Amino acid sequence: ARLPGVQVRSIRPDSQHPCGGERGLFATRRWHPHDIVGEYTGRVCSAEQAAEESARGGQSSAEAEEYRLALSKSSSTSPFVQARNAGNETRFLNDFRGISDEPNCTFSEACIGGLPTVLVVVTATVEEDEELVVDYGDQYWGRTPS
């Protein structure tokens, strides 16, 4: 089932967009702060499983982490949602850097039916045809917070 209110779109390769030639997630309606776009879905795996799969697939660690999200930021042993080859539209959320001044969505940890999950929650008004963007965080970019 498709998520209502969003659409995956190709980004022109010749654009000034940092993800030119790739895809992004765009609003097909107006979104308001605290709206839930949907659950970040994919295959749940441990960090060890994800690393093994990357090595078998010949991926660099950076490529392997492109679509991987920890279910809990507070645990170093947290399982991950790996959305590289499976998942819904939320896997096409791009980092806000080079696109907007601030992210307009965030990843939010939740528990649904006793199971950990990550939701995509709107943090600022998003107009129709605007790209939904998040902050991938300093760890993704290999930086330490200043």
Side-chain angles (χ1 to χ4, degrees):
R2 296 197 180 269
L3 293 176
V6 294
Q7 181 182 50
V8 176
R9 296 182 187 162
S10 294
I11 299 166
R12 290 183 22 187
D14 60 346
S15 71
Q16 295 298 314
H17 196 290
C19 299
E22 301 294 328
R23 292 177 279 185
L25 188 63
F26 291 81
T28 59
R29 68 169 179 86
R30 183 179 223 195
W31 289 87
H32 301 280
H34 309 291
D35 284 347
I36 297 173
V37 176
E39 181 181 357
Y40 189 84
T41 62
R43 196 177 61 71
V44 177
C45 61
S46 68
E48 293 80 20
Q49 288 171 317
E52 288 171 11
E53 287 177 11
S54 299
R56 279 197 309 267
Q59 297 172 329
S60 69
S61 60
E63 289 174 318
E65 290 180 10
E66 280 183 336
Y67 296 87
R68 192 170 74 190
L69 189 65
L71 281 170
S72 173
K73 294 177 191 170
S74 61
S75 170
S76 61
T77 59
S78 171
F80 290 88
V81 177
Q82 177 54 272
R84 183 180 244 329
N85 300 312
N88 61 18
E89 293 93 321
T90 60
R91 70 191 188 121
F92 294 101
L93 285 161
N94 288 317
D95 185 82
F96 77 99
R97 291 164 181 84
I99 300 170
S100 66
D101 292 337
E102 296 182 339
N104 53 29
C105 293
T106 190
F107 295 117
S108 181
E109 296 175 26
C111 190
I112 299 176
L115 298 173
T117 189
V118 176
L119 300 175
V120 176
V121 179
V122 176
T123 57
T125 301
V126 180
E127 299 297 337
E128 186 174 346
D129 294 323
E130 185 179 346
E131 186 172 3
L132 286 84
V133 291
V134 294
D135 182 352
Y136 285 0
D138 290 323
Q139 185 176 356
Y140 176 86
W141 298 107
R143 295 185 272 194
T144 53
S146 39

